[in-house]
Amino acid sequence: MKELRVRVLFGLFVVAAVLSWAGARLWDTFGTLPRVPVAAPIVLGVIAAVLGATALALRARLKAQRERRPGAKGVDPLVAARAVVFGQASALVASLVAGMYGGTFIFLLLDGLDAGPRRDQAIYAGLSVVTGIAVVVAALFLERVCKLPEDEDNDKPQGAAA
């Protein structure tokens, strides 16, 4: 399984933000703008909390297993792999969603926040960007926790003698 690259996540964020900003501009010419749901930052925050709690729990179990504490519960490799896949999928989707709300947030800031509903929408969009970034950070932390230690033999070139 390949590690997530921050550049890929950032690229997804930027592309989604630009497309969302352009779409919001186009949509606003028709007189309305799609609403940013109040639940968006809440759902993203819950996902970030679940990812963070999973990472902390797995880290504690792996540490206890490495230290060979009596009664330590080990981590099934399949459970760790599933957690990493969940984290990677969450990070990819969260970077797209955060970019989408980021583009809407920028549009609302540039268009003006005179009206109360637009100000509320900008707050919800800004909070969604922040919690989307929290999901990405928690997913990267989970991925790092579940990473296997490097094998010393892999550091040597192929033709080197032992």
Side-chain angles (χ1 to χ4, degrees):
M1 189 179 321
K2 290 185 178 182
E3 287 185 36
L4 281 176
R5 295 183 184 249
V6 176
R7 286 181 292 194
V8 170
L9 296 173
F10 184 72
L12 286 172
F13 175 84
V14 169
V15 168
V18 168
L19 291 175
S20 176
W21 173 78
R25 259 187 88 176
L26 178 66
W27 199 298
D28 194 50
T29 60
F30 294 118
T32 61
L33 188 64
R35 296 185 111 354
V36 178
V38 178
I42 296 168
V43 170
L44 288 169
V46 167
I47 293 170
V50 167
L51 286 169
T54 302
L56 291 174
L58 286 175
R59 183 176 75 168
R61 286 175 63 185
L62 287 169
K63 182 178 178 185
Q65 185 179 5
R66 274 188 232 114
E67 293 175 354
R68 303 195 189 283
R69 291 184 193 159
K73 283 178 77 175
V75 176
D76 183 25
L78 193 56
V79 170
R82 286 179 181 161
V84 170
V85 168
F86 172 61
Q88 287 182 345
S90 298
L92 290 168
V93 171
S95 64
L96 284 171
V97 170
M100 181 184 73
Y101 288 128
T104 304
F105 178 72
I106 291 170
F107 171 76
L108 289 170
L109 280 180
L110 295 177
D111 193 46
L113 300 174
D114 297 334
R118 289 223 173 196
R119 188 176 318 116
D120 293 343
Q121 295 301 303
I123 290 170
Y124 301 149
L127 287 174
S128 296
V129 171
V130 170
T131 53
I133 292 170
V135 169
V136 170
V137 169
L140 291 173
F141 177 60
L142 176 62
E143 185 179 55
R144 182 172 178 181
V145 164
C146 293
K147 186 177 179 182
L148 292 173
E150 294 294 326
D151 190 9
E152 292 178 14
D153 294 338
N154 290 340
D155 293 340
K156 296 179 183 176
Q158 290 286 347

PDB file of all heavy atoms in Angstrom, residues 48-84:
ATOM      1  N   ALA A  48     -12.920  13.418  11.818  1.00  0.00           N
ATOM      2  CA  ALA A  48     -11.572  13.702  12.329  1.00  0.00           C
ATOM      3  C   ALA A  48     -11.390  13.129  13.730  1.00  0.00           C
ATOM      4  O   ALA A  48     -10.334  12.565  14.038  1.00  0.00           O
ATOM      5  CB  ALA A  48     -11.322  15.210  12.333  1.00  0.00           C
ATOM      6  N   ALA A  49     -12.420  13.226  14.563  1.00  0.00           N
ATOM      7  CA  ALA A  49     -12.335  12.685  15.912  1.00  0.00           C
ATOM      8  C   ALA A  49     -12.223  11.162  15.898  1.00  0.00           C
ATOM      9  O   ALA A  49     -11.440  10.586  16.666  1.00  0.00           O
ATOM     10  CB  ALA A  49     -13.548  13.118  16.722  1.00  0.00           C
ATOM     11  N   VAL A  50     -12.980  10.510  15.020  1.00  0.00           N
ATOM     12  CA  VAL A  50     -12.914   9.050  14.923  1.00  0.00           C
ATOM     13  C   VAL A  50     -11.536   8.609  14.438  1.00  0.00           C
ATOM     14  O   VAL A  50     -10.939   7.667  14.980  1.00  0.00           O
ATOM     15  CB  VAL A  50     -14.031   8.520  13.988  1.00  0.00           C
ATOM     16  CG1 VAL A  50     -13.803   7.063  13.616  1.00  0.00           C
ATOM     17  CG2 VAL A  50     -15.389   8.697  14.639  1.00  0.00           C
ATOM     18  N   LEU A  51     -11.011   9.288  13.429  1.00  0.00           N
ATOM     19  CA  LEU A  51      -9.674   8.954  12.935  1.00  0.00           C
ATOM     20  C   LEU A  51      -8.611   9.175  14.002  1.00  0.00           C
ATOM     21  O   LEU A  51      -7.714   8.346  14.191  1.00  0.00           O
ATOM     22  CB  LEU A  51      -9.343   9.781  11.694  1.00  0.00           C
ATOM     23  CG  LEU A  51     -10.040   9.372  10.404  1.00  0.00           C
ATOM     24  CD1 LEU A  51      -9.811  10.442   9.336  1.00  0.00           C
ATOM     25  CD2 LEU A  51      -9.563   8.031   9.925  1.00  0.00           C
ATOM     26  N   GLY A  52      -8.712  10.284  14.719  1.00  0.00           N
ATOM     27  CA  GLY A  52      -7.745  10.569  15.771  1.00  0.00           C
ATOM     28  C   GLY A  52      -7.822   9.564  16.912  1.00  0.00           C
ATOM     29  O   GLY A  52      -6.791   9.094  17.409  1.00  0.00           O
ATOM     30  N   ALA A  53      -9.038   9.214  17.321  1.00  0.00           N
ATOM     31  CA  ALA A  53      -9.203   8.235  18.394  1.00  0.00           C
ATOM     32  C   ALA A  53      -8.693   6.867  17.967  1.00  0.00           C
ATOM     33  O   ALA A  53      -8.052   6.152  18.761  1.00  0.00           O
ATOM     34  CB  ALA A  53     -10.670   8.149  18.803  1.00  0.00           C
ATOM     35  N   THR A  54      -8.949   6.500  16.731  1.00  0.00           N
ATOM     36  CA  THR A  54      -8.447   5.222  16.215  1.00  0.00           C
ATOM     37  C   THR A  54      -6.925   5.210  16.210  1.00  0.00           C
ATOM     38  O   THR A  54      -6.297   4.223  16.606  1.00  0.00           O
ATOM     39  CB  THR A  54      -8.992   4.960  14.791  1.00  0.00           C
ATOM     40  OG1 THR A  54     -10.414   4.976  14.835  1.00  0.00           O
ATOM     41  CG2 THR A  54      -8.508   3.634  14.250  1.00  0.00           C
ATOM     42  N   ALA A  55      -6.334   6.299  15.769  1.00  0.00           N
ATOM     43  CA  ALA A  55      -4.869   6.382  15.731  1.00  0.00           C
ATOM     44  C   ALA A  55      -4.278   6.291  17.131  1.00  0.00           C
ATOM     45  O   ALA A  55      -3.295   5.577  17.347  1.00  0.00           O
ATOM     46  CB  ALA A  55      -4.432   7.676  15.056  1.00  0.00           C
ATOM     47  N   LEU A  56      -4.869   6.988  18.083  1.00  0.00           N
ATOM     48  CA  LEU A  56      -4.348   6.954  19.454  1.00  0.00           C
ATOM     49  C   LEU A  56      -4.508   5.568  20.075  1.00  0.00           C
ATOM     50  O   LEU A  56      -3.612   5.078  20.765  1.00  0.00           O
ATOM     51  CB  LEU A  56      -5.033   8.013  20.308  1.00  0.00           C
ATOM     52  CG  LEU A  56      -4.697   9.464  19.955  1.00  0.00           C
ATOM     53  CD1 LEU A  56      -5.542  10.425  20.772  1.00  0.00           C
ATOM     54  CD2 LEU A  56      -3.223   9.739  20.143  1.00  0.00           C
ATOM     55  N   ALA A  57      -5.640   4.920  19.818  1.00  0.00           N
ATOM     56  CA  ALA A  57      -5.865   3.583  20.369  1.00  0.00           C
ATOM     57  C   ALA A  57      -4.888   2.570  19.764  1.00  0.00           C
ATOM     58  O   ALA A  57      -4.297   1.753  20.484  1.00  0.00           O
ATOM     59  CB  ALA A  57      -7.301   3.142  20.114  1.00  0.00           C
ATOM     60  N   LEU A  58      -4.709   2.634  18.450  1.00  0.00           N
ATOM     61  CA  LEU A  58      -3.773   1.711  17.804  1.00  0.00           C
ATOM     62  C   LEU A  58      -2.344   1.982  18.241  1.00  0.00           C
ATOM     63  O   LEU A  58      -1.556   1.042  18.437  1.00  0.00           O
ATOM     64  CB  LEU A  58      -3.894   1.800  16.280  1.00  0.00           C
ATOM     65  CG  LEU A  58      -5.135   1.154  15.672  1.00  0.00           C
ATOM     66  CD1 LEU A  58      -5.188   1.419  14.181  1.00  0.00           C
ATOM     67  CD2 LEU A  58      -5.173  -0.329  15.953  1.00  0.00           C
ATOM     68  N   ARG A  59      -1.996   3.248  18.420  1.00  0.00           N
ATOM     69  CA  ARG A  59      -0.640   3.582  18.850  1.00  0.00           C
ATOM     70  C   ARG A  59      -0.368   3.020  20.238  1.00  0.00           C
ATOM     71  O   ARG A  59       0.705   2.452  20.500  1.00  0.00           O
ATOM     72  CB  ARG A  59      -0.431   5.094  18.832  1.00  0.00           C
ATOM     73  CG  ARG A  59       1.003   5.491  19.193  1.00  0.00           C
ATOM     74  CD  ARG A  59       1.207   6.959  19.078  1.00  0.00           C
ATOM     75  NE  ARG A  59       0.568   7.616  20.212  1.00  0.00           N
ATOM     76  CZ  ARG A  59       0.763   8.887  20.533  1.00  0.00           C
ATOM     77  NH1 ARG A  59       1.549   9.634  19.796  1.00  0.00           N
ATOM     78  NH2 ARG A  59       0.161   9.416  21.554  1.00  0.00           N
ATOM     79  N   ALA A  60      -1.344   3.137  21.142  1.00  0.00           N
ATOM     80  CA  ALA A  60      -1.168   2.607  22.496  1.00  0.00           C
ATOM     81  C   ALA A  60      -1.049   1.085  22.482  1.00  0.00           C
ATOM     82  O   ALA A  60      -0.202   0.511  23.183  1.00  0.00           O
ATOM     83  CB  ALA A  60      -2.342   3.038  23.372  1.00  0.00           C
ATOM     84  N   ARG A  61      -1.873   0.417  21.665  1.00  0.00           N
ATOM     85  CA  ARG A  61      -1.805  -1.044  21.599  1.00  0.00           C
ATOM     86  C   ARG A  61      -0.498  -1.510  20.970  1.00  0.00           C
ATOM     87  O   ARG A  61       0.099  -2.499  21.413  1.00  0.00           O
ATOM     88  CB  ARG A  61      -2.999  -1.577  20.817  1.00  0.00           C
ATOM     89  CG  ARG A  61      -4.287  -1.493  21.620  1.00  0.00           C
ATOM     90  CD  ARG A  61      -5.490  -1.888  20.835  1.00  0.00           C
ATOM     91  NE  ARG A  61      -5.422  -3.284  20.413  1.00  0.00           N
ATOM     92  CZ  ARG A  61      -6.327  -3.833  19.625  1.00  0.00           C
ATOM     93  NH1 ARG A  61      -7.345  -3.120  19.178  1.00  0.00           N
ATOM     94  NH2 ARG A  61      -6.215  -5.090  19.267  1.00  0.00           N
ATOM     95  N   LEU A  62      -0.043  -0.811  19.938  1.00  0.00           N
ATOM     96  CA  LEU A  62       1.230  -1.187  19.306  1.00  0.00           C
ATOM     97  C   LEU A  62       2.407  -0.956  20.246  1.00  0.00           C
ATOM     98  O   LEU A  62       3.344  -1.762  20.290  1.00  0.00           O
ATOM     99  CB  LEU A  62       1.421  -0.413  18.001  1.00  0.00           C
ATOM    100  CG  LEU A  62       0.545  -0.850  16.841  1.00  0.00           C
ATOM    101  CD1 LEU A  62       0.631   0.160  15.704  1.00  0.00           C
ATOM    102  CD2 LEU A  62       0.923  -2.233  16.368  1.00  0.00           C
ATOM    103  N   LYS A  63       2.347   0.130  21.015  1.00  0.00           N
ATOM    104  CA  LYS A  63       3.425   0.405  21.964  1.00  0.00           C
ATOM    105  C   LYS A  63       3.465  -0.665  23.052  1.00  0.00           C
ATOM    106  O   LYS A  63       4.544  -1.151  23.406  1.00  0.00           O
ATOM    107  CB  LYS A  63       3.223   1.786  22.596  1.00  0.00           C
ATOM    108  CG  LYS A  63       4.323   2.173  23.543  1.00  0.00           C
ATOM    109  CD  LYS A  63       4.094   3.558  24.110  1.00  0.00           C
ATOM    110  CE  LYS A  63       5.194   3.895  25.091  1.00  0.00           C
ATOM    111  NZ  LYS A  63       4.962   5.175  25.757  1.00  0.00           N
ATOM    112  N   ALA A  64       2.301  -1.054  23.553  1.00  0.00           N
ATOM    113  CA  ALA A  64       2.244  -2.102  24.576  1.00  0.00           C
ATOM    114  C   ALA A  64       2.730  -3.437  24.019  1.00  0.00           C
ATOM    115  O   ALA A  64       3.413  -4.198  24.701  1.00  0.00           O
ATOM    116  CB  ALA A  64       0.817  -2.242  25.101  1.00  0.00           C
ATOM    117  N   GLN A  65       2.421  -3.676  22.766  1.00  0.00           N
ATOM    118  CA  GLN A  65       2.861  -4.920  22.127  1.00  0.00           C
ATOM    119  C   GLN A  65       4.382  -4.921  21.943  1.00  0.00           C
ATOM    120  O   GLN A  65       5.034  -5.932  22.183  1.00  0.00           O
ATOM    121  CB  GLN A  65       2.154  -5.081  20.780  1.00  0.00           C
ATOM    122  CG  GLN A  65       2.429  -6.379  20.081  1.00  0.00           C
ATOM    123  CD  GLN A  65       1.661  -6.466  18.757  1.00  0.00           C
ATOM    124  OE1 GLN A  65       1.014  -5.513  18.340  1.00  0.00           O
ATOM    125  NE2 GLN A  65       1.751  -7.608  18.112  1.00  0.00           N
ATOM    126  N   ARG A  66       4.946  -3.797  21.525  1.00  0.00           N
ATOM    127  CA  ARG A  66       6.398  -3.714  21.334  1.00  0.00           C
ATOM    128  C   ARG A  66       7.155  -3.848  22.649  1.00  0.00           C
ATOM    129  O   ARG A  66       8.240  -4.414  22.690  1.00  0.00           O
ATOM    130  CB  ARG A  66       6.765  -2.380  20.673  1.00  0.00           C
ATOM    131  CG  ARG A  66       6.690  -2.423  19.180  1.00  0.00           C
ATOM    132  CD  ARG A  66       7.242  -1.158  18.567  1.00  0.00           C
ATOM    133  NE  ARG A  66       6.238  -0.648  17.659  1.00  0.00           N
ATOM    134  CZ  ARG A  66       5.571   0.488  17.790  1.00  0.00           C
ATOM    135  NH1 ARG A  66       5.838   1.297  18.764  1.00  0.00           N
ATOM    136  NH2 ARG A  66       4.652   0.846  16.936  1.00  0.00           N
ATOM    137  N   GLU A  67       6.590  -3.298  23.707  1.00  0.00           N
ATOM    138  CA  GLU A  67       7.237  -3.370  25.025  1.00  0.00           C
ATOM    139  C   GLU A  67       6.969  -4.697  25.722  1.00  0.00           C
ATOM    140  O   GLU A  67       7.465  -4.917  26.823  1.00  0.00           O
ATOM    141  CB  GLU A  67       6.744  -2.213  25.896  1.00  0.00           C
ATOM    142  CG  GLU A  67       7.192  -0.865  25.400  1.00  0.00           C
ATOM    143  CD  GLU A  67       6.593   0.280  26.207  1.00  0.00           C
ATOM    144  OE1 GLU A  67       5.736   0.031  27.090  1.00  0.00           O
ATOM    145  OE2 GLU A  67       6.982   1.426  25.941  1.00  0.00           O
ATOM    146  N   ARG A  68       6.185  -5.556  25.095  1.00  0.00           N
ATOM    147  CA  ARG A  68       5.852  -6.889  25.617  1.00  0.00           C
ATOM    148  C   ARG A  68       5.279  -6.821  27.029  1.00  0.00           C
ATOM    149  O   ARG A  68       5.677  -7.571  27.918  1.00  0.00           O
ATOM    150  CB  ARG A  68       7.058  -7.805  25.559  1.00  0.00           C
ATOM    151  CG  ARG A  68       7.637  -7.951  24.168  1.00  0.00           C
ATOM    152  CD  ARG A  68       8.587  -9.129  24.106  1.00  0.00           C
ATOM    153  NE  ARG A  68       9.320  -9.182  22.859  1.00  0.00           N
ATOM    154  CZ  ARG A  68       8.832  -9.600  21.706  1.00  0.00           C
ATOM    155  NH1 ARG A  68       7.598  -9.972  21.618  1.00  0.00           N
ATOM    156  NH2 ARG A  68       9.588  -9.635  20.624  1.00  0.00           N
ATOM    157  N   ARG A  69       4.335  -5.905  27.201  1.00  0.00           N
ATOM    158  CA  ARG A  69       3.670  -5.800  28.500  1.00  0.00           C
ATOM    159  C   ARG A  69       2.773  -7.016  28.708  1.00  0.00           C
ATOM    160  O   ARG A  69       2.146  -7.504  27.776  1.00  0.00           O
ATOM    161  CB  ARG A  69       2.793  -4.544  28.546  1.00  0.00           C
ATOM    162  CG  ARG A  69       3.578  -3.275  28.558  1.00  0.00           C
ATOM    163  CD  ARG A  69       2.654  -2.098  28.704  1.00  0.00           C
ATOM    164  NE  ARG A  69       3.351  -0.862  28.424  1.00  0.00           N
ATOM    165  CZ  ARG A  69       2.754   0.257  28.078  1.00  0.00           C
ATOM    166  NH1 ARG A  69       1.446   0.313  27.958  1.00  0.00           N
ATOM    167  NH2 ARG A  69       3.460   1.333  27.843  1.00  0.00           N
ATOM    168  N   PRO A  70       2.693  -7.508  29.936  1.00  0.00           N
ATOM    169  CA  PRO A  70       1.809  -8.649  30.188  1.00  0.00           C
ATOM    170  C   PRO A  70       0.347  -8.256  29.964  1.00  0.00           C
ATOM    171  O   PRO A  70      -0.097  -7.196  30.392  1.00  0.00           O
ATOM    172  CB  PRO A  70       2.054  -8.998  31.657  1.00  0.00           C
ATOM    173  CG  PRO A  70       3.031  -8.025  32.182  1.00  0.00           C
ATOM    174  CD  PRO A  70       3.438  -7.098  31.099  1.00  0.00           C
ATOM    175  N   GLY A  71      -0.376  -9.096  29.260  1.00  0.00           N
ATOM    176  CA  GLY A  71      -1.787  -8.847  28.987  1.00  0.00           C
ATOM    177  C   GLY A  71      -2.040  -7.851  27.873  1.00  0.00           C
ATOM    178  O   GLY A  71      -3.171  -7.417  27.671  1.00  0.00           O
ATOM    179  N   ALA A  72      -1.000  -7.457  27.144  1.00  0.00           N
ATOM    180  CA  ALA A  72      -1.170  -6.488  26.059  1.00  0.00           C
ATOM    181  C   ALA A  72      -1.893  -7.144  24.884  1.00  0.00           C
ATOM    182  O   ALA A  72      -1.562  -8.249  24.483  1.00  0.00           O
ATOM    183  CB  ALA A  72       0.181  -5.962  25.604  1.00  0.00           C
ATOM    184  N   LYS A  73      -2.910  -6.444  24.393  1.00  0.00           N
ATOM    185  CA  LYS A  73      -3.621  -6.941  23.222  1.00  0.00           C
ATOM    186  C   LYS A  73      -2.865  -6.488  21.976  1.00  0.00           C
ATOM    187  O   LYS A  73      -2.578  -5.311  21.810  1.00  0.00           O
ATOM    188  CB  LYS A  73      -5.037  -6.365  23.177  1.00  0.00           C
ATOM    189  CG  LYS A  73      -6.002  -7.018  24.137  1.00  0.00           C
ATOM    190  CD  LYS A  73      -7.357  -6.370  24.066  1.00  0.00           C
ATOM    191  CE  LYS A  73      -8.099  -6.830  22.832  1.00  0.00           C
ATOM    192  NZ  LYS A  73      -9.471  -6.300  22.784  1.00  0.00           N
ATOM    193  N   GLY A  74      -2.556  -7.434  21.119  1.00  0.00           N
ATOM    194  CA  GLY A  74      -1.879  -7.095  19.879  1.00  0.00           C
ATOM    195  C   GLY A  74      -2.847  -6.495  18.878  1.00  0.00           C
ATOM    196  O   GLY A  74      -4.059  -6.461  19.090  1.00  0.00           O
ATOM    197  N   VAL A  75      -2.302  -6.027  17.798  1.00  0.00           N
ATOM    198  CA  VAL A  75      -3.106  -5.447  16.726  1.00  0.00           C
ATOM    199  C   VAL A  75      -3.074  -6.406  15.553  1.00  0.00           C
ATOM    200  O   VAL A  75      -1.996  -6.745  15.042  1.00  0.00           O
ATOM    201  CB  VAL A  75      -2.567  -4.064  16.304  1.00  0.00           C
ATOM    202  CG1 VAL A  75      -3.347  -3.506  15.140  1.00  0.00           C
ATOM    203  CG2 VAL A  75      -2.601  -3.112  17.478  1.00  0.00           C
ATOM    204  N   ASP A  76      -4.244  -6.838  15.144  1.00  0.00           N
ATOM    205  CA  ASP A  76      -4.348  -7.700  13.974  1.00  0.00           C
ATOM    206  C   ASP A  76      -3.916  -6.891  12.748  1.00  0.00           C
ATOM    207  O   ASP A  76      -4.374  -5.762  12.550  1.00  0.00           O
ATOM    208  CB  ASP A  76      -5.792  -8.178  13.827  1.00  0.00           C
ATOM    209  CG  ASP A  76      -5.983  -9.148  12.675  1.00  0.00           C
ATOM    210  OD1 ASP A  76      -5.003  -9.820  12.292  1.00  0.00           O
ATOM    211  OD2 ASP A  76      -7.122  -9.234  12.170  1.00  0.00           O
ATOM    212  N   PRO A  77      -3.027  -7.437  11.910  1.00  0.00           N
ATOM    213  CA  PRO A  77      -2.576  -6.691  10.734  1.00  0.00           C
ATOM    214  C   PRO A  77      -3.715  -6.272   9.809  1.00  0.00           C
ATOM    215  O   PRO A  77      -3.669  -5.211   9.200  1.00  0.00           O
ATOM    216  CB  PRO A  77      -1.637  -7.660  10.028  1.00  0.00           C
ATOM    217  CG  PRO A  77      -1.184  -8.600  11.085  1.00  0.00           C
ATOM    218  CD  PRO A  77      -2.317  -8.705  12.056  1.00  0.00           C
ATOM    219  N   LEU A  78      -4.757  -7.088   9.725  1.00  0.00           N
ATOM    220  CA  LEU A  78      -5.888  -6.742   8.872  1.00  0.00           C
ATOM    221  C   LEU A  78      -6.651  -5.531   9.427  1.00  0.00           C
ATOM    222  O   LEU A  78      -7.111  -4.685   8.661  1.00  0.00           O
ATOM    223  CB  LEU A  78      -6.817  -7.943   8.723  1.00  0.00           C
ATOM    224  CG  LEU A  78      -7.876  -7.852   7.641  1.00  0.00           C
ATOM    225  CD1 LEU A  78      -7.238  -7.567   6.279  1.00  0.00           C
ATOM    226  CD2 LEU A  78      -8.676  -9.127   7.581  1.00  0.00           C
ATOM    227  N   VAL A  79      -6.740  -5.446  10.741  1.00  0.00           N
ATOM    228  CA  VAL A  79      -7.391  -4.286  11.368  1.00  0.00           C
ATOM    229  C   VAL A  79      -6.590  -3.024  11.082  1.00  0.00           C
ATOM    230  O   VAL A  79      -7.152  -1.975  10.742  1.00  0.00           O
ATOM    231  CB  VAL A  79      -7.546  -4.510  12.888  1.00  0.00           C
ATOM    232  CG1 VAL A  79      -7.987  -3.234  13.593  1.00  0.00           C
ATOM    233  CG2 VAL A  79      -8.526  -5.634  13.160  1.00  0.00           C
ATOM    234  N   ALA A  80      -5.275  -3.116  11.188  1.00  0.00           N
ATOM    235  CA  ALA A  80      -4.428  -1.959  10.900  1.00  0.00           C
ATOM    236  C   ALA A  80      -4.533  -1.556   9.432  1.00  0.00           C
ATOM    237  O   ALA A  80      -4.604  -0.365   9.113  1.00  0.00           O
ATOM    238  CB  ALA A  80      -2.978  -2.267  11.260  1.00  0.00           C
ATOM    239  N   ALA A  81      -4.563  -2.537   8.549  1.00  0.00           N
ATOM    240  CA  ALA A  81      -4.684  -2.241   7.114  1.00  0.00           C
ATOM    241  C   ALA A  81      -6.024  -1.572   6.815  1.00  0.00           C
ATOM    242  O   ALA A  81      -6.096  -0.618   6.031  1.00  0.00           O
ATOM    243  CB  ALA A  81      -4.524  -3.511   6.298  1.00  0.00           C
ATOM    244  N   ARG A  82      -7.089  -2.063   7.423  1.00  0.00           N
ATOM    245  CA  ARG A  82      -8.408  -1.451   7.211  1.00  0.00           C
ATOM    246  C   ARG A  82      -8.442  -0.024   7.749  1.00  0.00           C
ATOM    247  O   ARG A  82      -9.049   0.860   7.139  1.00  0.00           O
ATOM    248  CB  ARG A  82      -9.485  -2.285   7.886  1.00  0.00           C
ATOM    249  CG  ARG A  82      -9.789  -3.562   7.152  1.00  0.00           C
ATOM    250  CD  ARG A  82     -10.843  -4.361   7.864  1.00  0.00           C
ATOM    251  NE  ARG A  82     -11.108  -5.603   7.149  1.00  0.00           N
ATOM    252  CZ  ARG A  82     -11.690  -6.643   7.685  1.00  0.00           C
ATOM    253  NH1 ARG A  82     -12.077  -6.605   8.960  1.00  0.00           N
ATOM    254  NH2 ARG A  82     -11.900  -7.732   6.978  1.00  0.00           N
ATOM    255  N   ALA A  83      -7.806   0.198   8.877  1.00  0.00           N
ATOM    256  CA  ALA A  83      -7.759   1.546   9.445  1.00  0.00           C
ATOM    257  C   ALA A  83      -7.012   2.493   8.513  1.00  0.00           C
ATOM    258  O   ALA A  83      -7.435   3.636   8.302  1.00  0.00           O
ATOM    259  CB  ALA A  83      -7.104   1.514  10.821  1.00  0.00           C
ATOM    260  N   VAL A  84      -5.916   2.019   7.937  1.00  0.00           N
ATOM    261  CA  VAL A  84      -5.148   2.863   7.019  1.00  0.00           C
ATOM    262  C   VAL A  84      -5.962   3.175   5.764  1.00  0.00           C
ATOM    263  O   VAL A  84      -5.978   4.311   5.289  1.00  0.00           O
ATOM    264  CB  VAL A  84      -3.802   2.195   6.661  1.00  0.00           C
ATOM    265  CG1 VAL A  84      -3.108   2.929   5.536  1.00  0.00           C
ATOM    266  CG2 VAL A  84      -2.908   2.151   7.883  1.00  0.00           C
TER     267      VAL A  84
END
